Amino acid sequence: MAPCCHSGAVSDEPDTRSTHARARCSRHDHRAHGSRRTRSLHSHRGASAYAPENTLAAVDKAAKLGFRWVENDVQRTKDGELVVIHDDNLKRTTNVEEVFPDRAPWKVKDFTAAEIARLDAGSWFSAKYAGARVPTLKQYMNRVSRNHQKLVLEIKNPALYPGIEKETLKVLSNEGWLWPFNVRSKLVIQSFSADSVRTVHELRPDVKTGFLGTPAVSELPAYAKFADQINSTHTSISADYVASIHKLDGPHGKPLEIFTWTVDTADGARRVADFGVNGIITNKPDVVRAALD
């Protein structure tokens, strides 16, 4: 049997190991060297420490800082439009109470897309961003495409929006995001709902998926049948847990990955990088990058 891993020396000899042997080697190297070599950084809701979360301004700020990956949250309006907003109500990040004072509790699902388009989604963050809007998913995808960015898309509260998985995939398809190149290298769809992640995988088995949570190690093989990633909060993981994830192959025959969230400090970034995580989701991608460079 070929040795699991090379010593690190450069060799002119061909790599005759089997695919499985190379996969084992990859896992070993990843655990041995951590993720400072292989990590990717993802701007949480855009560069949300510096611009209002989930707005086009936050997407642009991430691009200006030099970050290719952004993360967002998708929900559905009363009339079926997909919009990018984190909370299931509009109160925290818009002026909905001022514009529609008699519509409490101001749930996204109770407003039409036209009504939401009237709201100011920037002033709560800073007067500099007054007039920013809650983008539709289509508008958001157009901006990410224009900026040549990549996307981790979270389907938010899917129990409130039956069929949102299929609708999300339709928008992505219409905007060219389900072309083979984009599916291979520019898109992850994730959710806290295992059923939602499973549905996405069943509808489009080629799309990379992530489950948000920290399942017990004994449960990881079940998740590996439909999720390519186990994306856990950074306070819930350890080096051993990350290693347990990497030992398993996901639905596409590649080792499971982990994008951990939400890491905003230099010490926190170094800690999870040394665990060997594949990616870090952060409100402050510049801080994390500086810590790991």
Side-chain angles (χ1 to χ4, degrees):
M1 179 181 295
C4 177
C5 295
H6 297 300
S7 65
V10 177
S11 172
D12 293 328
E13 293 297 319
D15 187 350
T16 58
R17 296 169 297 163
S18 69
T19 299
H20 289 300
R22 287 193 295 272
R24 289 195 302 272
C25 180
S26 175
R27 293 189 183 96
H28 176 86
D29 286 345
H30 198 73
R31 292 196 300 270
H33 300 292
S35 68
R36 297 195 187 186
R37 179 172 59 89
T38 59
R39 80 213 179 272
S40 57
L41 302 184
H42 306 75
S43 299
H44 185 231
R45 307 176 200 169
S48 58
Y50 310 114
E53 65 181 58
N54 277 325
T55 61
L56 301 184
V59 174
D60 291 342
K61 184 63 176 179
K64 186 176 181 180
L65 289 170
F67 293 96
R68 299 293 299 276
W69 280 97
V70 292
E71 182 266 356
N72 75 359
D73 307 280
V74 175
Q75 306 203 53
R76 190 170 68 204
T77 67
K78 182 177 181 179
D79 53 343
E81 186 79 46
L82 299 184
V83 291
V84 179
I85 186 169
H86 178 270
D87 298 359
D88 69 355
N89 71 76
L90 298 153
K91 182 177 176 180
R92 181 176 63 86
T93 58
T94 77
N95 64 337
V96 68
E97 291 178 279
E98 175 185 337
V99 179
F100 299 103
D102 301 323
R103 299 276 295 276
W106 301 289
K107 296 288 188 179
V108 174
K109 66 181 180 64
D110 294 331
F111 287 78
T112 67
E115 289 172 333
I116 291 175
R118 293 173 53 188
L119 303 177
D120 180 343
S123 292
W124 69 274
F125 185 87
S126 167
K128 175 182 177 181
Y129 293 103
R133 301 303 181 198
V134 175
T136 66
L137 180 57
K138 180 178 179 179
Q139 291 167 338
Y140 192 97
M141 299 312 301
N142 287 338
R143 184 60 60 91
V144 172
S145 295
R146 191 189 77 175
N147 291 346
H148 305 290
Q149 289 167 298
K150 306 178 182 184
L151 178 63
V152 179
L153 182 155
E154 180 182 343
I155 296 177
K156 204 74 180 176
N157 301 310
L160 296 178
Y161 314 111
I164 192 174
E165 297 85 6
K166 185 175 182 179
E167 295 168 353
T168 299
L169 289 168
K170 182 178 180 181
V171 173
L172 292 174
S173 178
N174 289 346
E175 300 308 310
W177 275 73
L178 296 187
W179 294 345
F181 173 76
N182 290 336
V183 167
R184 284 196 304 269
S185 62
K186 296 179 67 175
L187 178 67
V188 178
I189 298 179
Q190 64 177 2
S191 180
F192 282 98
S193 166
D195 288 340
S196 187
V197 177
R198 187 183 293 107
T199 296
V200 170
H201 178 66
E202 291 172 351
L203 290 171
R204 282 296 301 245
D206 55 331
V207 170
K208 197 170 188 178
T209 56
F211 173 71
L212 284 160
T214 313
V217 170
S218 62
E219 297 173 353
L220 289 175
Y223 285 88
K225 294 178 181 179
F226 58 87
D228 299 276
Q229 298 175 347
I230 303 296
N231 295 339
S232 311
T233 176
H234 73 98
T235 59
S236 69
I237 63 172
S238 64
D240 287 343
Y241 188 76
V242 172
S244 295
I245 289 173
H246 289 153
K247 288 176 183 178
L248 298 171
D249 287 338
H252 294 108
K254 297 180 180 179
L256 280 184
E257 298 177 340
I258 175 171
F259 291 174
T260 192
W261 50 275
T262 305
V263 181
D264 290 339
T265 67
D267 286 345
R270 287 188 286 266
R271 171 179 169 269
V272 298
D274 286 339
F275 288 167
V277 299
N278 301 87
I280 298 173
I281 298 174
T282 173
N283 297 313
K284 298 180 178 180
D286 54 332
V287 171
V288 173
R289 178 174 60 190
L292 300 184
D293 280 348

